[in-house]
Amino acid sequence: MKTINIAIDGPAGAGKSTIAKMVSAKLGYIYVDTGALYRTIALFISENNIADEDIEKSLPNAEVSLKFEEGAQHVYLGDRDVSALIRTPGISMEASRTSAMPAVREYLFETQQRIARENNVIMDGRDIGTVVLPNADVKIFLTASAEERANRRYKELSEKPNCPCYEEILSDIIERDHNDMNRKTSPLKQAEDAVLVDTTELDLEQSAEAITNIIREKLDGRE
């Protein structure tokens, strides 16, 4: 029986992960956060001080895997659960840089496709609808203004120690958008058959509801 694959792409800070989790829970699909895979590779490179010219030959030693435990996705580097370690700003920027490397993308490509072949999934990232799952049943391009994405990130970090200022967060988001959209390998862009969803004026519940409705309408339209 053919599995159902939903692709959600969009820029950093658009809420893809949170919203995709909410929608997957509503629909009973497995949520796959591909960004977590790239962040884990970035952590591996950072922890081992691997020079760029040595990354390709070092990747087989990374042992990156996803495990679904009690409905939640956990990311492992070897036998370590690194789900929390990969969420720091430093690893985010390193992931943006290293994810543009063809060797890194090729290494993780098959992992993502295998999960989609075996499960009904909602997969989010930067190039899911364009590269990883070009034949996805439904494609969403989720975005929001850079200012709103920075504001959301600032609110998320404001209660933590050493929170960067809003201006710094906004600058990081603009820089990351530029890097993601202009990289040579699998740049961030909206697939031609993707539905654009701008959440600048929507809260999380409204965003999740809008995307759930789009998915249901698209799938019902095929029957």
Side-chain angles (χ1 to χ4, degrees):
M1 182 176 177
K2 183 184 181 298
T3 57
I4 295 174
N5 296 166
I6 311 299
I8 300 181
D9 291 309
K16 297 187 301 296
S17 296
T18 303
I19 292 168
K21 286 178 187 176
M22 296 169 70
V23 175
S24 64
K26 289 174 181 285
L27 298 176
Y29 296 172
I30 287 176
Y31 164 62
V32 182
D33 174 8
T34 61
L37 297 173
Y38 286 99
R39 286 169 179 266
T40 305
I41 291 293
L43 179 66
F44 168 74
I45 293 168
S46 178
E47 287 187 338
N48 291 280
N49 297 311
I50 300 171
D52 286 0
E53 60 268 23
D54 296 327
I55 287 176
E56 183 171 4
K57 67 181 181 183
S58 300
L59 287 174
N61 298 321
E63 298 182 25
V64 178
S65 62
L66 291 178
K67 296 181 181 180
F68 298 94
E69 301 169 356
E70 298 181 355
Q73 175 186 271
H74 290 257
V75 193
Y76 282 78
L77 184 56
D79 58 1
R80 278 193 304 153
D81 185 339
V82 296
S83 303
L85 289 175
I86 62 174
R87 297 299 172 182
T88 65
I91 292 300
S92 294
M93 291 304 295
E94 178 68 5
S96 180
R97 187 184 73 85
T98 57
S99 66
M101 298 178 179
V104 173
R105 305 200 72 80
E106 290 169 12
Y107 176 72
L108 293 174
F109 185 75
E110 174 53 30
T111 299
Q112 297 168 65
Q113 288 205 321
R114 175 180 51 77
I115 294 171
R117 285 195 301 269
E118 297 173 354
N119 304 276
N120 293 333
V121 301
I122 294 181
M123 188 178 291
D124 78 330
R126 301 287 189 280
D127 63 348
I128 308 306
T130 54
V131 176
V132 180
L133 300 177
N135 297 315
D137 300 272
V138 183
K139 300 178 185 178
I140 305 288
F141 192 85
L142 180 66
T143 191
S145 69
E147 291 77 13
E148 177 60 21
R149 286 182 280 138
N151 184 52
R152 293 171 183 172
R153 184 64 173 161
Y154 178 73
K155 288 181 178 178
E156 179 184 343
L157 296 175
S158 60
E159 296 181 0
K160 298 181 180 179
N162 304 315
C163 173
C165 66
Y166 167 82
E167 289 75 14
E168 182 180 346
I169 294 172
L170 177 60
S171 177
D172 285 346
I173 282 177
I174 292 172
E175 179 183 355
R176 192 165 180 194
D177 284 352
H178 176 80
N179 291 342
D180 288 343
M181 289 187 290
N182 290 282
R183 65 192 183 199
K184 292 182 180 179
T185 304
S186 303
L188 169 67
K189 64 180 180 179
Q190 180 178 342
E192 291 184 2
D193 52 348
V195 179
L196 177 66
V197 179
D198 189 321
T199 67
T200 302
E201 302 296 331
L202 303 179
D203 62 23
L204 285 174
E205 286 291 344
Q206 291 169 330
S207 300
E209 188 64 26
I211 289 176
T212 301
N213 290 338
I214 290 169
I215 292 170
R216 285 174 171 156
E217 289 170 7
K218 288 278 188 181
L219 295 179
D220 287 346
R222 300 185 321 168
E223 298 177 356

